[in-house]
Amino acid sequence: MAVYQSNRLRKDGALMGLDVGVGGQVLDLETAVKDGILGGGGGIGVGGGCGLISTAAAEKLDLKKMIEELEAVEVPSVFICPISLDPMRDPVTLCTGQTYERSNILKWFSMGHYTCPTTMQELWDDSVTPNATLQQLIHTWFATKYSAMKKRSQDVQGRAIEVLEILKKAKGQSRIEALKELRQLAAAHSTARKSLVDNGGVGSLSSLLGPFTTHAVGSEVIAILVSLDLDYSGKTNLTQPAKISLMVDMLNEGSIETRINCTRLIEMLMEGKDFVSENVSSLSLLVGLLKLVKNERHPNGVIAGLRLLKAICSHESLRASIVSIGAVSQLVELLPGFKADCIELALHILEVLSTVPEGRLALKECAKTIPNMVKLLMKVSESCTQLALAILWAVCKLAPEECGALAVEAGLAAKLLLVIQSCYNPVLKQRSAELLKLCSSNYTATNFISKCKLTTTIQ
Amino acid sequence: MGSLCSKQRYFDKPENEENGQAAEIERRIEQETKAEKHIQKLLLLGTGDSGKSTIFKQIKLLFQSGFGEAELKSYTSIVHANVYQTIKILHDGSKELAQNEAESSKYIISSANKDVGERLSEIGGRLNYPQLTKELAEEIGSLWNDPAIQETYSRGNELQVPDCAHYFMENLQRLSDANYLPTKEDVLYARVRTTGVVEIQFSPVGENKKSGEVYRLFDVGGQRNERRKWIHLFEGVTAVIFCAAISEYDQTLFEDEHKNRMMDTKELFEWVLKQPCFEKTSFMLFLNKFDLFEKKVANVPLNVCEWFKDYQPVSSGKQEVEHAYEFVKKKFEELYFQSTSPDRVDRVFKIYRTTALDQKLVKKTFKLVDETLRRRNLFEAGLL
């Protein structure tokens, strides 16, 4: 294997050069990579002057590890094994001049082939020659990229910590500027996020939230917090009434992005194990979420709102509140316009609400409940069918004659028979049968069948 | 605005001049109407004694040139009047309690102060009060320190003892000085029932800067008389600042001693929310007198007020105060949503915790109110 000579710092302080000692004149590696001759991404530590690292250090870095960590980076095509399409760690060349990963080509041979996989030529010489040059090149390229990445992330980490310090003393407009920068760093670099969390960033940011926090500051803080990995103490700290109050206000007043951030953050806080339902009992919060859900121009908001509503209704004590703001009829009416994932969430919420008397009543009062539920049976997914069925059951149980009739008018019977016939889930079948019985109890057999408008086959 | 446009007559020169003037006046009216549109009107509402006028005074101090010497001087008589009124209420109150209570001896004024008490009570009942001299101040001071009066004061919520009582009684020396000039704080504490409508125009950024909104703040009286007749005159205001004194949950009305003040506030808030003229108005609810609330909550349970009867304390000390505050806040929130029809749900509704006497707090609170209203404007202009 070729041994590199020690690095030479050029007098003009430019990036270090690396010459290959053995054999003829090989292209200066740094230039090769920088000018993109090898086709690999940007230069080495652009502007950073971190240059190439020495061989000794390079070999310490395990190539396998580097390849793994640099997975996202675009690797030059000449480094890739044509068989596995992975970067080569031990490239060997055949007599045809093509280079492959040793283990892959040997496997090819062991399968009984004696051709060159890319050129399809028959091999006149079965020896495999290790391609030392290419190996060194690959190693150095990865090592350089790796160290650049490490440095960048260190830079980012350092900057994040710096800004966090600035934030402690900044006021007014400079505070907002610092927050904006922190937000950008956190959004772009996972190392920045980790660095923030490790250096008490959550506590500092959290302390900026209070009853007198302006919207401008609050919205930036929330945007940063929502991207971080919050631990138990961080979540507990944020779950104070005054801070949640602020989040609810911003959820009602902010831009769509802020609304979604607040929604997501509250959802994150609800995952804490000591979370008390009282913390999210604010009617303003529920009203704000409903507004989000109704805003069809922003599907991200719809989903975020539905998810949080779902989390909230898992707390029994809050179900009545949700019903009291008119959520039931609004969700029912929104169903036809929703996509599949939203339908499932909405149905789940409605089903949970149907477990409380106020919810059942509201479902019954809403004219669109029965027709919309019937339409959704067997239309989207099995779980949706199950949920819609449960809701229909709850409503029809409440007023069998009235609702049963409405359901039949809406074409329930045909759908139920379809469920019974085609569904594998025995529970579902059972439920459908029971519902059918409930709804048909007021009709005579012939009358009922005619009402069902069934096709002849199902009849 | 009288009609100034006369019919066009093409031949008369003096008539043409008149038309020219009329046009000029029309133009000026149009200009001013346009300028008016940019002035955001804020209306202070609330029951009597809720702190509206204090907020009004604070805004004046913060964003206008404050109180000039002449104006400060004009408050001297009000401050003195408050002193006389307070001591009379306490004196008469102690006599009433001595008559009706089982432990009447607590409320019997010591013989030394008895005559003084009668005299002061008589003074306090007059239409015009005398100058507060050093002698009078001393007499009032000794009566204030009488144990019976102190006992009576502790039952202040059952009488109509004003909130400024303690403050003025502790400052009698200063107030009775020959060259007494009321301080800003004295003015803020001074209590006089607002009659009619008072208004000020101000700009939060400061009068010298060009940018920033211009606000006009209106303070109307808090008592109940004929509210419905004039409320519609305030249609089109940008925001209603509704003041509710949360410390008054155990007090009764001045106008009706059998009515709980908090219940009265509840009814008023409900009524205001339902008014058609406020359909699109933003509502800023100031839960005021938090400092008094803080002190009271430890000794007087919230459930003495019917509206708060389902309150359960969970802890004690500062945490309990916070918990109690959140409870009250939630009640008001519930009331808001119950009283708001679905088509009005879009209007802005925010709750602020205030202590109107604390200038810094009022400034911070107003900054937030200003931010909210400006965002609302941008939102309505489609820029957000």
Side-chain angles (χ1 to χ4, degrees):
Chain A
M1 191 148 76
V3 173
Y4 283 118
Q5 289 176 343
S6 56
N7 296 327
R8 244 182 5 196
L9 247 182
R10 286 208 215 118
K11 286 222 185 78
D12 59 0
L15 298 167
M16 292 190 276
L18 202 80
D19 282 297
V20 177
V22 174
Q25 197 57 46
V26 175
L27 202 52
D28 169 7
L29 178 61
E30 181 233 313
T31 318
V33 175
K34 188 155 150 244
D35 294 348
I37 289 172
L38 290 172
I44 307 156
V46 175
C50 67
L52 302 174
I53 54 179
S54 69
T55 324
E59 295 195 85
K60 277 198 218 120
L61 295 166
D62 178 24
L63 183 58
K64 183 164 177 224
K65 177 164 172 276
M66 289 195 284
I67 292 176
E68 264 170 31
E69 289 201 28
L70 286 168
E71 211 184 302
V73 177
E74 205 183 311
V75 182
S77 52
V78 295
F79 293 170
I80 305 280
C81 170
I83 299 176
S84 64
L85 299 178
D86 282 333
M88 297 186 272
R89 299 208 316 259
D90 186 5
V92 295
T93 312
L94 301 183
C95 59
T96 54
Q98 301 298 318
T99 311
Y100 306 89
E101 176 71 30
R102 185 194 289 268
S103 49
N104 296 339
I105 192 68
L106 290 179
K107 202 187 279 176
W108 174 254
F109 289 161
S110 74
M111 294 203 295
H113 304 112
Y114 286 105
T115 53
C116 171
T118 42
T119 61
M120 309 295 242
Q121 287 170 283
E122 275 233 22
L123 298 172
W124 52 91
D125 176 353
D126 61 358
S127 62
V128 289
T129 318
N131 191 332
T133 310
L134 191 59
Q135 187 179 44
Q136 274 300 73
L137 215 61
I138 292 175
H139 202 286
T140 312
W141 188 90
F142 272 98
T144 313
K145 287 281 174 197
Y146 187 77
S147 72
M149 179 189 87
K150 281 289 168 197
K151 180 159 197 307
R152 250 199 321 272
S153 95
Q154 261 181 348
D155 280 346
V156 160
Q157 278 180 314
R159 184 63 189 151
I161 297 176
E162 226 172 61
V163 179
L164 203 55
E165 275 306 307
I166 295 175
L167 205 55
K168 290 189 185 152
K169 301 183 218 105
K171 296 245 182 243
Q173 193 58 28
S174 53
R175 178 181 278 183
I176 298 180
E177 292 301 326
L179 284 169
K180 284 199 165 126
E181 189 180 348
L182 214 53
R183 182 181 175 174
Q184 274 178 333
L185 286 172
H189 306 274
S190 63
T191 44
R193 293 197 285 274
K194 186 163 185 304
S195 170
L196 275 178
V197 172
D198 291 341
N199 286 286
V202 175
S204 299
L205 289 168
S206 192
S207 67
L208 292 174
L209 298 176
F212 294 108
T213 307
T214 60
H215 185 99
V217 168
S219 53
E220 296 291 328
V221 172
I222 298 286
I224 300 171
L225 285 171
V226 88
S227 67
L228 299 177
D229 210 0
L230 301 170
D231 64 0
Y232 177 71
S233 68
K235 284 188 191 166
T236 316
N237 193 344
L238 285 166
T239 313
Q240 289 169 35
K243 298 190 204 263
I244 299 220
S245 229
L246 180 67
M247 289 182 224
V248 171
D249 278 342
M250 291 197 281
L251 198 148
N252 274 296
E253 287 182 1
S255 64
I256 185 70
E257 204 189 333
T258 304
R259 290 174 203 241
I260 296 179
N261 284 339
C262 292
T263 309
R264 291 220 179 106
L265 187 60
I266 297 179
E267 198 184 341
M268 279 163 67
L269 295 178
M270 284 187 79
E271 289 162 15
K273 62 180 163 75
D274 287 339
F275 195 82
V276 172
S277 65
E278 221 176 56
N279 292 324
V280 284
S281 56
S282 158
L283 286 172
S284 298
L285 170 61
L286 301 174
V287 168
L289 288 176
L290 214 53
K291 266 197 261 190
L292 254 187
V293 167
K294 282 201 290 194
N295 191 343
E296 47 188 26
R297 276 184 300 149
H298 299 279
N300 283 343
V302 175
I303 276 251
L306 285 172
R307 284 176 51 153
L308 185 54
L309 275 172
K310 177 177 168 189
I312 294 178
C313 48
S314 65
H315 292 268
E316 213 177 311
S317 52
L318 300 173
R319 288 175 199 166
S321 301
I322 302 181
V323 175
S324 74
I325 56 163
V328 169
S329 59
Q330 296 196 35
L331 284 173
V332 167
E333 283 171 26
L334 287 167
L335 278 171
F338 277 167
K339 300 224 171 60
D341 44 4
C342 295
I343 293 182
E344 189 163 337
L345 283 168
L347 283 176
H348 183 105
I349 296 168
L350 288 168
E351 196 270 319
V352 170
L353 291 178
S354 72
T355 60
V356 294
E358 298 93 339
R360 284 194 283 275
L361 194 60
L363 281 164
K364 174 179 162 301
E365 312 258 281
C366 175
K368 291 270 176 182
T369 305
I370 295 180
N372 284 357
M373 292 304 146
V374 170
K375 280 202 204 99
L376 285 172
L377 289 172
M378 298 298 282
K379 185 146 175 250
V380 182
S381 68
E382 191 178 297
S383 52
C384 286
T385 301
Q386 202 161 14
L387 292 166
L389 208 57
I391 295 169
L392 281 166
W393 179 255
V395 175
C396 292
K397 218 44 184 29
L398 196 60
E401 291 101 36
E402 188 190 331
C403 298
L406 285 169
V408 171
E409 289 296 318
L412 177 65
K415 284 284 180 97
L416 288 177
L417 289 171
L418 198 58
V419 175
I420 296 173
Q421 277 195 322
S422 29
C423 253
Y424 289 119
N425 189 334
V427 175
L428 219 51
K429 285 202 213 218
Q430 172 86 351
R431 263 304 167 89
S432 308
E434 284 169 9
L435 188 58
L436 196 56
K437 204 164 155 200
L438 184 66
C439 294
S440 63
S441 55
N442 281 331
Y443 298 86
T444 62
T446 37
N447 211 346
F448 187 66
I449 292 180
S450 67
K451 283 238 173 261
C452 288
K453 307 173 213 162
L454 302 170
T455 60
T456 39
T457 39
I458 298 180
Q459 267 190 29
Chain B
M1 167 173 112
S3 170
L4 295 158
C5 301
S6 54
K7 277 201 227 129
Q8 281 275 352
R9 275 189 227 160
Y10 298 94
F11 30 88
D12 268 340
K13 196 160 180 264
E15 307 252 344
N16 274 343
E17 250 176 55
E18 226 174 80
N19 287 338
Q21 273 182 358
E24 168 69 26
I25 292 172
E26 287 248 340
R27 199 176 55 78
R28 289 241 331 256
I29 289 173
E30 201 186 301
Q31 236 179 12
E32 277 171 31
T33 316
K34 226 168 127 190
E36 276 288 302
K37 282 211 178 81
H38 290 290
I39 300 180
Q40 315 248 17
K41 297 175 196 60
L42 306 173
L43 177 60
L44 275 167
L45 285 179
T47 52
D49 229 346
S50 55
K52 301 183 296 302
S53 301
T54 312
I55 299 270
F56 192 85
K57 290 176 203 163
Q58 288 283 24
I59 300 282
K60 205 165 170 178
L61 286 169
L62 286 169
F63 303 122
Q64 286 199 332
S65 40
F67 293 103
E69 193 170 315
E71 199 164 358
L72 284 174
K73 225 173 173 30
S74 73
Y75 271 90
T76 311
S77 51
I78 298 177
V79 170
H80 291 173
N82 284 171
V83 170
Y84 291 123
Q85 286 156 359
T86 303
I87 199 67
K88 176 182 168 62
I89 291 173
L90 284 169
H91 173 266
D92 297 352
S94 75
K95 281 174 82 174
E96 197 185 309
L97 286 171
Q99 268 187 344
N100 302 332
E101 289 295 300
E103 300 177 31
S104 58
S105 55
K106 276 207 284 196
Y107 303 105
I108 298 183
I109 301 172
S110 65
S111 46
N113 291 323
K114 242 194 172 55
D115 291 332
V116 168
E118 292 297 331
R119 210 155 20 90
L120 288 171
S121 177
E122 189 270 313
I123 294 178
R126 295 188 202 159
L127 281 174
N128 295 310
Y129 302 114
Q131 179 80 358
L132 187 66
T133 58
K134 280 280 178 206
E135 293 81 31
L136 271 171
E138 259 188 61
E139 291 187 337
I140 295 174
S142 62
L143 186 58
W144 165 251
N145 288 316
D146 190 301
I149 296 294
Q150 284 297 313
E151 274 293 333
T152 311
Y153 177 63
S154 69
R155 304 267 300 261
N157 63 302
E158 294 167 53
L159 313 163
Q160 297 293 336
V161 176
D163 290 325
C164 57
H166 191 270
Y167 176 78
F168 284 139
M169 288 296 145
E170 296 296 308
N171 282 283
L172 283 169
Q173 286 261 12
R174 188 171 53 83
L175 301 183
S176 58
D177 192 73
N179 298 318
Y180 169 60
L181 184 68
T183 63
K184 262 192 325 204
E185 211 177 348
D186 295 343
V187 168
L188 288 172
Y189 272 97
R191 163 124 192 92
V192 61
R193 289 213 304 287
T194 314
T195 50
V197 182
V198 206
E199 70 175 76
I200 46 168
Q201 187 159 316
F202 66 98
S203 183
V205 195
E207 283 181 33
N208 299 325
K209 299 211 185 125
K210 288 235 171 99
S211 63
E213 309 290 301
V214 179
Y215 289 108
R216 195 177 293 159
L217 185 64
F218 296 90
D219 178 12
V220 304
Q223 275 69 37
R224 300 143 120 206
N225 350 327
E226 309 293 31
R227 224 174 250 134
R228 59 185 172 82
K229 285 195 182 160
W230 47 259
I231 196 78
H232 68 91
L233 293 173
F234 293 102
E235 179 160 9
V237 296
T238 311
V240 163
I241 298 182
F242 192 93
C243 293
I246 50 175
S247 61
E248 62 183 15
Y249 59 91
D250 67 340
Q251 290 170 278
T252 52
L253 287 182
F254 176 82
E255 307 95 311
D256 178 352
E257 290 205 356
H258 300 288
K259 188 85 194 273
N260 178 280
R261 286 196 187 193
M262 187 55 84
M263 297 309 289
D264 191 47
T265 300
K266 172 178 186 278
E267 278 167 26
L268 177 61
F269 191 49
E270 220 171 343
W271 183 85
V272 172
L273 286 172
K274 291 184 172 151
Q275 293 309 301
C277 57
F278 295 135
E279 210 169 43
K280 300 212 168 62
T281 316
S282 303
F283 271 82
M284 310 290 169
L285 176 61
F286 280 17
L287 294 180
N288 200 21
K289 305 209 183 179
F290 181 72
D291 54 340
L292 297 176
F293 179 78
E294 235 179 344
K295 295 192 195 113
K296 201 175 264 196
V297 155
N299 306 318
V300 184
L302 275 183
N303 18 40
V304 302
C305 173
E306 199 191 311
W307 192 20
F308 303 149
K309 62 175 188 263
D310 54 336
Y311 178 68
Q312 306 271 27
V314 289
S315 56
S316 60
K318 206 143 190 257
Q319 238 189 351
E320 185 54 32
V321 171
E322 285 300 320
H323 183 250
Y325 174 75
E326 288 297 320
F327 178 83
V328 170
K329 187 170 161 197
K330 199 155 285 162
K331 282 286 176 185
F332 273 96
E333 210 180 42
E334 256 169 37
L335 185 59
Y336 174 80
F337 285 109
Q338 274 165 15
S339 318
T340 303
S341 59
D343 59 335
R344 290 194 195 180
V345 162
D346 266 342
R347 69 180 167 191
V348 174
F349 173 63
K350 288 185 79 165
I351 304 182
Y352 302 89
R353 177 200 298 202
T354 53
T355 297
L357 291 165
D358 184 336
Q359 190 164 44
K360 275 212 184 107
L361 225 61
V362 172
K363 186 170 186 187
K364 277 195 207 172
T365 307
F366 196 79
K367 224 177 117 188
L368 292 177
V369 170
D370 181 38
E371 195 192 25
T372 302
L373 291 175
R374 273 189 287 129
R375 286 185 64 84
R376 183 71 185 174
N377 278 343
L378 289 174
F379 181 76
E380 293 195 336
L383 295 167
L384 212 64

